[in-house]
Amino acid sequence: MCRTLSPFLFITSLAFGGVLHAADKEPIQPINAAKVANPAMVELGKKLFFDPRLSRSGFISCNSCHNLSMGGTDNIKTSIGHNWQRGPINSPTVLNASMNVAQFWDGRAKDLQEQAGGPIANPGEMAFTHELAIDVLASIPAYRAQFRQVFGQDKLTIEQVTRAIAAFEEVLVTPGSRFDQWLMGKKSALTKDELAGYQLFKSSGCIACHNGPAVGGNTFQKMGVVEPYKTAMTAQGRSAVTGKDADRFNFKVPTLRNVELTYPYFHDGEAATLTQAVDVMGRLQLGRTFTPDENAKLVAFLKTLTGKQPQLVLPILPPSSDTTPRPVPFD
Amino acid sequence: MCRTLSPFLFITSLAFGGVLHAADKEPIQPINAAKVANPAMVELGKKLFFDPRLSRSGFISCNSCHNLSMGGTDNIKTSIGHNWQRGPINSPTVLNASMNVAQFWDGRAKDLQEQAGGPIANPGEMAFTHELAIDVLASIPAYRAQFRQVFGQDKLTIEQVTRAIAAFEEVLVTPGSRFDQWLMGKKSALTKDELAGYQLFKSSGCIACHNGPAVGGNTFQKMGVVEPYKTAMTAQGRSAVTGKDADRFNFKVPTLRNVELTYPYFHDGEAATLTQAVDVMGRLQLGRTFTPDENAKLVAFLKTLTGKQPQLVLPILPPSSDTTPRPVPFD
């Protein structure tokens, strides 16, 4: 299941060593609160994240599929794109995404900035072009002024747009979950069943892939280790990026932070509930059928990973000017 | 243009009487700040307003077409509904909508509560049913608790849903515009050109229909008085409600509050800019071709009607439970 052995050794030693309270001895670390280095850039990025004028239709914004009211996802199997096209894969959460080893399920973008340009120009998603997006933004006086203030130059570029969006996404972290409170020493933060779930999460091997502060997101792993995963979805995962057949069906391990909010699960969105997801993961990845009681405890633990959601004041977008190119929702 | 003569008389006397500063002597009154009578109901309504689970697809919320980042509109000619259907008419702003004589362009809903149920069950919009919407909400424990707290009963009904949405919409008012500051005595709030625009707005007759605190919204009027309005849109307006041929092409006069943000204009969204809208209104409603200078002054005045937009913390929606019916984005 893992491409290196060391995580397994680490976990096994922990699993048999009992529960350790000091966060630095656990394979999961607490989420830190966001540090806002450049508030003006973050504020600009927030506007862009919510602005549907970055799409051809004028209807789809980043927030449409990474809805910050809903755990940074759209809670549907695969997203709805321009002209109601069916997306090829489940939209991963934008929450804590800065901790991912790379972006997209197949890791084809190295970071949030590289990711941010993708959906804008994807004909199946926002269906725009970077050039047209820049034309729109540059035609809006209030945006021009804000870009100038943040980037110190008159010329507006797609790199500025994606950098600002990434700066906003970097502050979308969710500290303060009950599990993190427990990690930081508050023993009463978890119930007995939740703690038993965490112990089982470690001892059964889930932790081998779902570890670190994001409880995942830091490696690519094969979907279907013990048993193959059956899906109608054609996505090939990591091999589409590396060209290596050995990477076929390797996907980025999703973060389990806020997993209570980010249903449905898996790259194809075919697991509707945590109970189903835990059952499939146990059988396909670990060769283990969890009993209903074990499953319930794992689910109880997973729900303690829901952190404090970013409290955002809805941005007020600057109006288009008379020269702003108008959206084309219907071709 | 008007069905009663009195507004005309009122305006004419003002236009020749010079500019009066006391708000009670002007045909437009300032917007009052929202009074929140029931904060828990407003908060519930806000969640429902932003919740796409009230649609069949799980993708479209009230905020999709009445986007509170964009003046309470979607800034496209006609909205995008379920399965990317093209809406039959331009989405009017939800801002200050509580001041409207009735809701929808044809006034077929008597108030905000009656309006709120419409799009949910409209096959071309959210494409859901009231029964399914209630099934979804009643399956979500946190919603059940909040409805019980607000309405004091266990049974969840569509009347509660629409009442809560209406309660939220009632607080979506936009006081504090520069024009309102001027109305309330701050002479420096308007430039000379903006004030000249207001004087022309009154003397040329715009004010006959666009008056009151919402600068419109309080009567139905014929679109195309002096010249017929040519449009490909089949909407018949008020006659579809009253069955009277005399009401054909009568539409609710839109509010001009925040008109800078609520483009494109008219029931068919065919006027992209304020300049175009003012020109068409002058010719078709008043039989007058405004000079470029007059048009610019009117537009300058109209832009002073942009009020303080509601500052809203984006709601965090309670997650679906295992028994919540799942969205059906693709049939």
Side-chain angles (χ1 to χ4, degrees), chain B residues 19-26 182-187 195:
Chain B
V19 176
L20 300 174
H21 257 115
D24 58 355
K25 294 185 183 166
E26 291 291 338
W182 178 85
L183 276 178
M184 290 156 84
K186 186 181 170 189
K187 292 191 181 185
L195 192 54

Side-chain angles (χ1 to χ4, degrees), chain B residues 12 30 40 42 57 62 78 91 97 138 140 150 169 194 236 273 280 308 310:
Chain B
T12 308
V42 169
S57 63
C62 304
T78 64
S91 284
I140 298 169
V150 170
E169 291 175 338
E194 289 162 352
Q236 295 296 304
T273 66
V280 171
K308 189 171 153 44

Side-chain angles (χ1 to χ4, degrees), chain A residues 53 57 59 68-69 76 80 83-84 86 263 272-273 275 309 312-317 320 322 326 329-330, chain B residues 53 57 59 68-69 76 80 83-84 86 263 272-273 275 311-317 320 322 326 329-330:
Chain A
R53 286 171 296 188
S57 63
F59 189 63
L68 293 168
S69 292
I76 52 182
I80 293 169
N83 209 19
W84 213 262
R86 189 193 292 243
Y263 54 87
T273 66
T275 304
Q309 301 298 295
L312 300 167
V313 175
L314 193 73
I316 303 302
L317 301 177
S320 294
D322 287 5
R326 264 37 188 178
F330 306 102
Chain B
R53 286 171 297 188
S57 63
F59 188 65
L68 293 168
S69 293
I76 51 182
I80 293 169
N83 209 18
W84 213 262
R86 189 194 292 242
Y263 53 89
T273 66
T275 303
Q311 292 288 296
L312 300 167
V313 175
L314 193 72
I316 303 303
L317 301 177
S320 294
D322 287 5
R326 265 36 189 178
F330 305 102

